[in-house]
Amino acid sequence: MTDSPKTAKLTFGDKELELPIHSPSVGPDVIDIRKLYAQGDVFTYDPGFTSTAACDSTITFIDGFKGELLHRGYPIDQLAGKSHYLEVCFLLLYGELPSAQDLEDFETRVTNHTMLHEQMMNFFRGFRRDAHPMAIMTGVVGAMSAFYHDSTDIKDEWQREVASIRLIAKMPTIAAYAYKYHVGQPFVYPRNDLDYASNFLRMCFAVPAEDYEVNPILARAMDRIFTLHADHEQNASTSTVRLAGSSGANPFACIAAGIACLWGPAHGGANQACLEMLEEIGSVDRIPEFIARAKDKDDPFRLMGFGHRVYKNHDPRATVMKESADEVLELLGVGSNPKLQVAKELERIALEDPYFKDKKLFPNVDFYSGIILEAMGFPTSMFTPIFALSRTVGWIAQWKEMIGDPTQKIGRPRQLYKGETLRDYVDVEDR
Ligand code: SDX
């Protein structure tokens, strides 16, 4: 006998509604409210979407209380420890770990798309030298739809596939070129004999005046940063990509929208904001002053790199990222870098302080990624572009999943209107 479908009874005023309940493969049940307005003439109200599922998905699952992050069922610590970014890209895009041959084919396809159309260089030169690299990335990625017309028709599965590979392949080149333009050095072209992370490091740090050897420990740490940032359920920037895509916008425009959203300091901009906070703290003896500010309800100051909307015990990515941070600092040394010394002491204090323990405010992924990138020599303005580069595959996988859903509709939330009710226009002489 099959279980009768679960329903939720909603009683208000003279109405009693039965709403279907759907069960996931793992996680909380959802109450289906799609017919609530038609049947009950009411909306639900959830401005931060704290309790709202905006879609169903098979890509990533987060258990905020267990501190678990699964990509197609595989835990992030295993993927970060045993896999590598392009294999995780394949997993996110196609749902299964690749065979050795499929992985080689995929990596070859990505490698062969890493160069930019030469005329796109003009876009970089149109920016001021001190332009924030995220402004450049938002502009250049959006402009890709003006260059790659043969992969903008979202109804054509092959074009969707080509656009996906192009975006994954070209993001490191675009991010590296944004950095080179920012520091006034010549662009360094990608090389097909380097792996994805090594290629990016070389495009960022090589100069024509001398040979550049990629340090394998740094390349591994870079690849791990890419992997740990690849996808994260329906976070703000992914939801932005899905909403933009729901209107039928081309993939380049949707990813540019995701980059713009990620830039915010409450989201992907937190790694830059975290290092700027460490710089503002300046020395270990000033940490108590900032801890007090973070606790002060009247002070908007937050400890950047701490806390999370979903994780309420620990961010599993931060656990893995911390290992990489320790490896890189060991290799490069904390030395006299005050920001890194402050970071280590702030982490120790925050993890022991009852306020932060009670509020579950632990270091998140952005805290440690900022430390690694700082130690590698990236300016803080490059931290979020690297996050955007990493998250591109997650945005694309979620976008493809949405576009491929035959029931997909344009996203159009409603509102709780608190403005003026109907009133007549008053001529200026009568006001
Ligand atoms: C990312 O969604 C994702 O998945 C995002 C991300 C991804 O991979 O896509 O994981 C990437 O964005 C990580 C988060 C990076 N952001 C930061 O590090 C910025 C600092 N963190 C805070 O802004 C905050 O913790 C958020 C935005 C991350 C989460 O905010 P919530 O869940 O909406 O929590 P809240 O703002 O309602 O705060 C709850 C309480 C408040 O105190 P009370 O009003 O209950 O007394 O905790 C306090 C806040 O004051 N609080 C903090 C704090 N974060 C929350 N207090 C001090 N410092 C902080 N960092």
Side-chain angles (χ1 to χ4, degrees):
M1 182 175 104
T2 54
D3 295 341
S4 58
K6 293 190 284 187
T7 59
K9 283 190 176 45
L10 181 61
T11 307
F12 58 98
D14 59 353
K15 293 190 172 63
E16 180 167 302
L17 305 179
E18 277 211 56
L19 301 170
I21 290 179
H22 306 308
S23 293
S25 42
V26 59
D29 284 352
V30 299
I31 297 174
D32 185 336
I33 57 166
R34 281 176 290 186
K35 293 194 170 27
L36 177 64
Y37 181 48
Q39 293 173 0
D41 195 26
V42 290
F43 297 147
T44 58
Y45 183 67
D46 185 14
F49 308 115
T50 314
S51 305
T52 296
C55 62
D56 51 59
S57 180
T58 61
I59 300 171
T60 291
F61 174 74
I62 298 171
D63 183 321
F65 292 97
K66 286 197 325 198
E68 185 177 69
L69 167 58
L70 307 179
H71 289 319
R72 303 287 191 179
Y74 296 101
I76 190 61
D77 54 314
Q78 291 184 25
L79 292 172
K82 298 177 178 178
S83 184
H84 62 279
Y85 182 68
L86 282 188
E87 183 176 73
V88 172
C89 286
F90 186 101
L91 175 66
L92 289 169
L93 289 172
Y94 307 117
E96 296 295 337
L97 289 170
S99 66
Q101 187 57 53
D102 285 348
L103 178 58
E104 184 184 335
D105 295 346
F106 179 74
E107 291 185 337
T108 302
R109 288 173 66 205
V110 171
T111 299
N112 291 340
H113 279 278
T114 50
M115 287 180 69
L116 284 186
H117 188 296
E118 193 66 11
Q119 209 174 317
M120 289 191 80
M121 306 302 185
N122 300 331
F123 282 117
F124 294 87
R125 296 190 176 96
F127 288 93
R128 284 175 40 151
R129 285 287 180 181
D130 59 355
H132 194 291
M134 283 297 278
I136 298 176
M137 287 189 80
T138 307
V140 172
V141 171
M144 286 175 76
S145 52
F147 276 84
Y148 300 107
H149 299 100
D150 59 344
S151 59
T152 52
D153 178 358
I154 62 165
K155 295 180 188 60
D156 179 334
E157 190 172 347
W158 174 243
Q159 291 197 35
R160 294 205 299 265
E161 179 67 14
V162 171
S164 303
I165 297 296
R166 277 176 167 154
L167 279 157
I168 293 168
K170 297 179 194 303
M171 285 299 265
T173 312
I174 292 168
Y177 284 11
Y179 170 60
K180 283 306 205 185
Y181 183 73
H182 189 61
V183 296
Q185 290 181 358
F187 297 138
V188 174
Y189 286 85
R191 288 176 55 101
N192 292 352
D193 59 344
L194 292 177
D195 64 69
Y196 195 85
S198 301
N199 223 346
F200 177 65
L201 288 173
R202 183 179 171 278
M203 287 191 282
C204 288
F205 296 126
V207 289
E210 59 188 23
D211 292 340
Y212 177 82
E213 278 301 310
V214 179
N215 180 305
I217 292 179
L218 299 187
R220 178 80 189 129
M222 192 80 258
D223 188 272
R224 189 171 279 186
I225 285 178
F226 294 161
T227 298
L228 292 171
H229 286 85
D231 190 47
H232 214 237
E233 282 192 5
Q234 307 310 317
N235 58 84
S237 53
T238 298
S239 301
T240 300
V241 171
R242 278 182 173 260
L243 198 56
S246 73
S247 74
N250 75 70
F252 305 109
C254 295
I255 300 304
I259 296 171
C261 175
L262 187 77
W263 195 356
H267 188 16
N271 47 24
Q272 172 175 346
C274 177
L275 265 289
E276 287 165 353
M277 174 190 73
L278 296 175
E279 191 150 24
E280 187 187 357
I281 294 173
S283 62
V284 170
D285 59 334
R286 292 194 64 207
I287 291 177
E289 170 195 336
F290 284 83
I291 294 273
R293 283 186 58 193
K295 295 177 182 176
D296 179 356
K297 286 281 139 254
D298 298 326
D299 189 330
F301 173 77
R302 295 257 172 108
L303 283 181
M304 304 315 282
F306 285 78
H308 199 275
R309 166 62 60 78
V310 177
Y311 292 122
K312 294 309 171 194
N313 282 300
H314 73 284
D315 182 337
R317 302 168 299 176
T319 308
V320 180
M321 192 72 83
K322 183 177 178 353
E323 288 167 22
S324 282
D326 292 343
E327 272 173 31
V328 168
L329 296 189
E330 177 74 29
L331 175 79
L332 300 178
V334 173
S336 60
N337 185 325
K339 282 183 275 188
L340 300 182
Q341 289 165 343
V342 168
K344 302 299 279 181
E345 181 60 6
L346 179 62
E347 174 198 27
R348 185 189 67 76
I349 294 173
L351 288 175
E352 290 171 2
D353 187 301
Y355 175 88
F356 295 104
K357 288 170 75 173
D358 295 347
K359 284 190 180 294
K360 312 288 184 190
L361 298 178
F362 45 81
N364 57 37
V365 67
D366 292 298
F367 180 79
Y368 294 109
S369 62
I371 290 173
I372 295 175
L373 296 173
E374 163 83 6
M376 283 180 171
F378 285 103
T380 52
S381 60
M382 275 300 291
F383 290 6
T384 311
I386 290 169
F387 191 152
L389 181 176
S390 313
R391 185 54 55 87
T392 294
V393 65
W395 289 331
I396 289 170
Q398 300 271 352
W399 171 77
K400 286 178 76 171
E401 182 177 67
M402 180 199 66
I403 295 291
D405 175 359
T407 66
Q408 176 259 322
K409 302 167 71 152
I410 186 167
R412 205 293 186 200
R414 304 308 297 266
Q415 62 178 9
L416 170 62
Y417 178 66
K418 291 186 170 177
E420 295 288 343
T421 52
L422 178 66
R423 56 180 172 166
D424 293 327
Y425 181 82
V426 179
D427 295 330
V428 64
E429 55 273 13
D430 300 329
R431 289 174 202 159

